[in-house]
Amino acid sequence: MTFSKLDRFYRGILLSRYFIKGWGTPENLKRLLLFRKVLSNRSDCFKLVGEHYPIEITKDEYEGDIHILEGHFYSPFNFYLPTLLPKESKEAHFQMILPKKWKDDGFKPVCIHMAGTGDHYFWRRRHLIAKPLLREAGIGSIILENPFYGFRKPVYQMRSVLNNVSDIFVMGGCLILEALVLFHWCTKHGFGPLGVSGLSMGGHMASLAATNWPFPLVLVPCLSWSTASGVFTEGVMSRAINWDMLEFQYKENEAFRTELYKMVQIRESDAFQAGKEFVKNFPESMLHLKEHGPGLDTKKEISVSKSALFPINQKLTKFLKMNTEPVSDLTNFSLLLEKVFHPKYIEQQFNLRKD
C-alpha cells in the first residue's frame, strides 16, 4: 500500500476515526445490498419517486438581486428502508439560489450541488459555488444537505465521522432518491435545463444521482471518481479506519462470510465486460465514443414537457451523449458549468458534430 505525501500530511492533521462501530449489522447490510439492485436499474428506481412528491417551502426571501428559497421533504428512502436512517436524517433539507428575475422565462437552468466530505449546512456551497455561478453564468442552484451532515447529523455522531460502513451506503441511497424528488419538482415548476454536480465525495454522489434520471441532464463531477474505495483502502482515509476491528467483526459473524460475501461479488455481466474494455483501451475508447456516440432513441428518452427543458432539448440530448469533458481541478469548474448549460454553445457544438 502506497501513500502520497499529500495523503500523509492530510492524515497527520486529522484526528477523526471513521466507522468506529464497524460494519453495521449484517441484516442492515443485506437489506442495503438487495435494495442496491433496485437502485441500479434506472427504470425501476425512477418509479420509486412520484412526479408530484410533496415538498414544503419554509423560506422565501430576497437578498439584493438574489432569490433564496429553503425547503424540506420527507426522504423517500424512509418508505423502503425505514429503520436505517436516524431520526435526524429523515427530513431532507435544501436551499435554492435563484435570480430575482430570469433573463429568459423559457431558459431557467438549475444545478443541484452535492456536498463533499465535511461540507455541513449550506453556507460553503452558497458562497463559493452558487452565488458566483449565478452572477457569472445566470445558473440557479439547489444546495442539498447530505444525510448525517448539518441539520441531518445524528446527535450521537461526532463531526463528519460515520459510525458504520453501512452508513455510507445509506447516504448514497438517500441522495439518489432525494435528487429524483428535486428533479421532478424543478420540472413541474418550469426550471431547466437541469444539472447536478459536486466536489470529491459530492461528485461521486452526483454521478449516482444522475444515473437514474431518464431525461437530458448535465453532470459535472469534480475531483471525484467512479468509486471511493481507493480513498478508504489506500488513500488519505485508510489510516483513519480500524481495520483490525473490521476484520474481527467479519471473522466473528458467520453471516458476513456466507451470505454477504456472495452478495458483493462482481458478476461478469456484459456491462461489466464493456466497462473493463473501455478502461483498458482508454483514451482511444473515449475518442471512439465522441466520434460515433451510443445509440439514442430521442423519442423514447424525451417525453418531459418542453417548459421544463428548453427548445433544443433533442439537440442537448445528442450533445451530452457525445461531448464529455473531464474536470481535473477547480479552476475550470465554474467555467465548464457555464459552458455546458449555455444554449448557444450547445447549438454550436451540435451543428459542428451533426452528420
Side-chain angles (χ1 to χ4, degrees):
M1 184 180 294
T2 59
F3 301 90
S4 70
K5 292 182 179 179
L6 178 61
D7 284 352
R8 292 178 186 274
F9 171 76
Y10 189 72
R11 182 63 245 153
I13 62 176
L14 286 180
L15 301 177
S16 305
R17 302 286 291 182
Y18 282 77
F19 311 134
I20 56 176
K21 293 186 178 180
W23 294 99
T25 67
E27 293 77 16
N28 285 345
L29 282 167
K30 184 177 180 180
R31 294 168 65 197
L32 282 166
L33 291 171
L34 289 172
F35 190 56
R36 185 181 66 170
K37 294 182 179 180
V38 180
L39 296 181
S40 299
N41 185 308
R42 186 169 69 176
S43 60
D44 290 341
C45 180
F46 185 68
K47 297 174 184 176
L48 298 179
V49 178
E51 59 180 316
H52 300 295
Y53 195 93
I55 287 180
E56 181 180 355
I57 300 299
T58 57
K59 180 179 179 180
D60 187 345
E61 65 181 28
Y62 292 89
E63 185 181 295
D65 58 350
I66 295 177
H67 185 192
I68 300 177
L69 295 173
E70 286 187 11
H72 62 85
F73 55 91
Y74 192 69
S75 177
F77 190 86
N78 293 296
F79 294 115
Y80 304 103
L81 297 175
T83 61
L84 270 63
L85 266 180
K87 62 179 182 179
E88 296 88 349
S89 297
K90 291 182 181 294
E91 286 284 332
H93 299 264
F94 68 93
Q95 185 177 87
M96 200 167 187
I97 306 298
L98 302 171
K100 188 174 183 179
K101 181 175 177 56
W102 292 97
K103 294 180 180 179
D104 183 353
D105 287 336
F107 181 69
K108 300 178 180 179
V110 170
C111 184
I112 298 176
H113 300 284
M114 298 293 188
T117 303
D119 189 356
H120 294 256
Y121 303 105
F122 305 131
W123 65 271
R124 190 178 303 172
R125 281 170 285 168
R126 180 175 66 244
H127 290 293
L128 298 181
I129 299 177
K131 285 187 175 180
L133 196 60
L134 183 61
R135 287 195 301 266
E136 298 168 14
I139 298 173
S141 296
I142 294 178
I143 305 167
L144 178 61
E145 184 82 276
N146 267 12
F148 303 98
Y149 277 24
F151 297 113
R152 309 178 71 180
K153 186 173 77 69
V155 293
Y156 56 78
Q157 180 180 300
M158 183 179 66
R159 297 193 291 275
S160 309
V161 180
L162 300 180
N163 286 346
N164 301 295
V165 174
S166 59
D167 291 342
I168 202 163
F169 293 100
V170 172
M171 181 186 291
C174 281
L175 292 174
I176 289 173
L177 298 180
E178 290 163 14
L180 287 178
V181 173
L182 293 171
F183 288 145
H184 277 304
W185 186 84
C186 287
T187 299
K188 185 172 68 173
H189 287 81
F191 295 106
L194 303 177
V196 58
S197 70
L199 308 179
S200 187
M201 181 184 73
H204 178 66
M205 295 300 178
S207 300
L208 294 179
T211 58
N212 289 315
W213 182 248
F215 306 114
L217 186 71
V218 173
L219 169 64
V220 184
C222 185
L223 302 175
S224 66
W225 193 234
S226 57
T227 175
S229 60
V231 177
F232 290 106
T233 58
E234 299 180 8
V236 65
M237 298 298 183
S238 60
R239 295 187 179 182
I241 298 171
N242 189 338
W243 293 104
D244 291 336
M245 179 188 65
L246 293 178
E247 182 181 7
F248 175 78
Q249 289 184 359
Y250 176 80
K251 291 180 177 179
E252 184 184 44
N253 195 318
E254 188 178 354
F256 285 114
R257 303 191 305 276
T258 54
E259 298 180 61
L260 293 174
Y261 179 77
K262 295 177 181 178
M263 294 178 71
V264 298
Q265 293 302 297
I266 297 176
R267 290 176 171 79
E268 300 283 321
S269 63
D270 292 340
F272 181 73
Q273 288 292 346
K276 288 203 302 185
E277 288 298 317
F278 183 88
V279 173
K280 180 180 178 181
N281 298 315
F282 187 85
E284 289 79 7
S285 52
M286 179 60 76
L287 296 175
H288 178 80
L289 181 64
K290 286 187 176 183
E291 290 176 3
H292 302 285
L296 175 64
D297 186 344
T298 54
K299 292 182 180 179
K300 290 183 179 179
E301 294 221 2
I302 302 176
S303 59
V304 68
S305 63
K306 290 185 178 180
S307 63
L309 298 170
F310 59 102
I312 56 170
N313 50 13
Q314 290 187 348
K315 293 183 179 182
L316 171 65
T317 305
K318 187 172 182 180
F319 166 75
L320 291 176
K321 292 289 184 179
M322 295 190 298
N323 192 75
T324 304
E325 298 193 41
V327 181
S328 57
D329 56 64
L330 294 177
T331 57
N332 64 343
F333 179 59
S334 180
L335 291 175
L336 180 58
L337 276 175
E338 178 181 358
K339 185 166 66 171
V340 296
F341 270 102
H342 203 287
K344 291 183 179 179
Y345 175 77
I346 295 171
E347 283 189 301
Q348 178 187 21
Q349 292 295 317
F350 177 77
N351 290 332
L352 289 174
R353 295 171 184 271
K354 69 180 180 180
D355 297 331

